[in-house]
């Protein structure tokens, strides 16, 4: 089974996606997600200019060897662009191996460790009333775990709070199919950490008294706090029994989490911007977090993320794979196969894709009672309709950024 053809497909149905499609000499095709939100074309160039020529003629069965070859032979290791490109190759090779074997990928990874994957969605609101509406709408969609993001009085625009347009377009479900905004320049938002820290515990108090103690609740701080601010937030949220508090401090400094951990028992999650096991070395060894947030798409594929999860499992740390809409249906399927197979699955983030995206990518996963299952099609169980994909050319889009009241660019 040799790789005969390698194509990079860019499409923008509800948002931009980059997909690698490998075709073998015996006619099988495999797909890999290479979408890097806001920097998509850098990965396209990396794949087209540097990896595709290396792949042609290779034995598609040699997944580990191909991974090591692409990673080590480059000399320049790690980084989101490199690791998203390698992830796409790796994922497409697992898809091919599954099709060649006539088995879903999770079977090749050891078989199912559970019946389905508990998933959480994103409820948000600028006010408590909007937030409650959003939580109710998510429960009606079947979600059994919910991330809570809330507006802060005095701040105009905060990342993760869906806009009015989004609210209306999606009939009350505050889903942002395009968390990056289409446009030539990134949008500017505002931020005030003290106002946020004062406001958030009251939001969780209100949510717990309305929805009771059972519902698993999560929150994402989007890397905006110093260690001591994060420690305080973790303590203040302890009465509300969070499933996790995510990305409290900027991800570069792993030591920051020591201080946070010393002061709070609120479970911590981090890692959606990490790319390799080395980013996790210290925080896993010192048990500074409870969940690792890496996606297959941004962490070198199924092969490498499985190694991270196996390492984490030695320290009772579980998976919490990143699954916003910028993870394509191919990346989501890869996450579901891996999550079903590993023992230390924790929870899966799942923001539903838009209808146009679902027409471009034919999918076979199921969503039952708040749980995902990748289905039993051979490989990943995702197809790509090239005619549909061709209708939606790439559109420049950036994630927003934020400034403090005095104009300083703040962490994100
Ligand atoms: O591309 C980045 C976004 O998808 C990310 O900011 C979303 O933080 C996020 C999350 O937890 O899904
Ligand atoms: Mg996040």
């Amino acid at each position: 089974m040799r790789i005969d053809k390698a194509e990079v497909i860019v499409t923008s149905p509800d948002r931009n996606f980059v997909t690698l499609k490998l075709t073998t000499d015996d006619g099988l095709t495999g797909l890999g997600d290479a979408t890097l939100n806001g920097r998509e074309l850098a990965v396209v160039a990396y794949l087209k200019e540097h990896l595709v020529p290396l792949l042609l003629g290779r034995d598609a069965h040699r997944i580990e060897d191909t991974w090591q070859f692409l990673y080590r032979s480059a000399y320049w290791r790690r980084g989101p662009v490199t690791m998203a490109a390698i992830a796409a190759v790796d994922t497409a090779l697992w898809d091919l191996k599954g099709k060649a074997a006539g088995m879903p990928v999770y079977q090749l990874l050891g078989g199912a460790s559970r019946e389905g994957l508990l998933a959480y969605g994103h409820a948000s609101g600028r006010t408590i009333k909007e937030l409650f509406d959003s939580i109710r709408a998510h429960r009606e969609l079947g979600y059994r775990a919910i991330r809570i993001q809330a507006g802060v009085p005095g701040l105009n625009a905060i990342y993760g709070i869906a806009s009015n347009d989004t609210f209306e377009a999606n009939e009350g479900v505050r889903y942002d199919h395009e968390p990056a905004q289409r446009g030539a320049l990134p949008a500017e938002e505002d931020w005030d950490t003290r106002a946020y820290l004062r406001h958030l515990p009251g939001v969780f108090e209100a949510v717990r008294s309305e929805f009771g103690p059972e519902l698993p609740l999560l929150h994402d701080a989007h890397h905006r706090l110093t260690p001591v601010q994060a420690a305080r937030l973790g303590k203040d949220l302890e009465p509300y029994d969070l499933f996790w508090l995510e990305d409290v401090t900027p991800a570069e400094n792993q030591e920051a989490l020591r201080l946070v951990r010393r002061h709070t028992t609120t479970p911590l999650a981090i890692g959606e911007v990490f790319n390799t096991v080395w980013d996790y070395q210290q925080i896993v060894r010192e048990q500074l977090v409870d969940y690792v947030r890496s996606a297959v798409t941004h962490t070198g594929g199924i092969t490498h993320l499985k190694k991270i999860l196996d390492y984490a499992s030695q320290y009772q740390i579980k998976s919490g794979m990143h699954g916003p809409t910028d993870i394509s249906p191919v990346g989501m399927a890869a996450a579901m196969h891996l999550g079903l197979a590993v023992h230390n699955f924790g929870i899966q983030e799942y923001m539903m894709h838009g209808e146009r995206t679902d027409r471009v990518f034919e999918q076979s996963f199921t969503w039952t009672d708040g749980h995902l299952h990748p289905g039993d099609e051979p490989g990943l169980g995702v197809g790509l309709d090239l005619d549909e994909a061709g209708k939606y050319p790439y559109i420049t889009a950036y994630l927003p950024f934020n400034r403090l009241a005095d104009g300083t660019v703040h962490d994100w």
Side-chain angles (χ1 to χ4, degrees), residues 262-337:
R262 223 174 283 141
H263 291 283
T264 181
T265 55
T266 293
L268 301 174
I270 203 164
E272 69 183 44
V273 301
F274 292 179
N275 337 111
T276 68
V277 71
W278 294 282
D279 296 324
Y280 286 104
Q281 215 168 23
Q282 180 180 4
I283 50 176
V284 167
R285 193 177 56 237
E286 295 185 23
Q287 303 184 72
L288 301 181
V289 296
D290 302 279
Y291 297 91
V292 300
R293 290 278 291 134
S294 278
V296 168
T297 307
H298 302 131
T299 322
I302 292 171
T303 299
H304 195 66
L305 186 49
K306 172 120 182 12
K307 290 179 185 177
I308 294 174
L309 295 179
D310 289 345
Y311 171 47
S313 75
Q314 296 172 40
Y315 299 89
Q316 292 172 285
I317 296 171
K318 295 186 175 183
S319 73
M321 288 179 233
H322 196 208
T325 54
D326 45 288
I327 302 294
S328 87
V330 178
M332 282 301 295
M336 289 181 222
H337 284 279

Side-chain angles (χ1 to χ4, degrees), residues 235-251:
K235 271 170 81 165
D236 287 352
L237 294 179
E238 276 170 22
Y240 312 112
D241 187 25
L242 266 62
F243 187 96
W244 80 35
L245 177 59
E246 174 185 346
D247 283 346
V248 281
T249 50

Side-chain angles (χ1 to χ4, degrees), residues 120 122 147 159 220-223 246-247 272 293 322 349:
Y120 73 91
H122 292 197
R147 189 184 92 163
Y159 183 73
D220 192 346
H222 288 301
H223 324 265
E246 174 185 346
D247 283 346
E272 69 183 44
R293 290 278 291 134
H322 196 208
E349 183 180 17

Side-chain angles (χ1 to χ4, degrees), residues 139-211:
R139 282 164 56 114
E140 273 165 35
L141 281 173
Y143 282 101
R144 299 287 175 266
I146 298 184
R147 189 184 92 163
I148 302 293
Q149 303 297 125
V152 175
L155 297 183
N156 295 320
I158 303 179
Y159 183 73
I161 316 289
S163 66
N164 256 354
D165 296 352
T166 314
F167 188 69
E168 277 151 27
N170 297 298
E171 294 171 359
V173 183
R174 289 195 158 268
Y175 262 117
D176 218 340
H177 296 304
E178 179 56 281
Q181 285 132 5
R182 296 172 178 212
L185 294 171
E188 186 174 315
E189 300 183 339
D190 47 2
W191 186 247
D192 176 343
T193 303
R194 290 187 66 231
Y196 164 78
L197 291 177
R198 278 195 308 273
H199 185 64
L200 197 66
V203 171
F204 274 90
E205 169 79 43
V207 172
R208 276 288 176 229
S209 38
E210 180 72 13
F211 296 96

Side-chain angles (χ1 to χ4, degrees), residues 48-59:
K48 278 191 178 165
E49 306 297 329
H50 300 293
L51 296 198
V52 166
L54 307 184
L55 293 173
L56 299 178
R58 283 185 74 82
D59 180 354

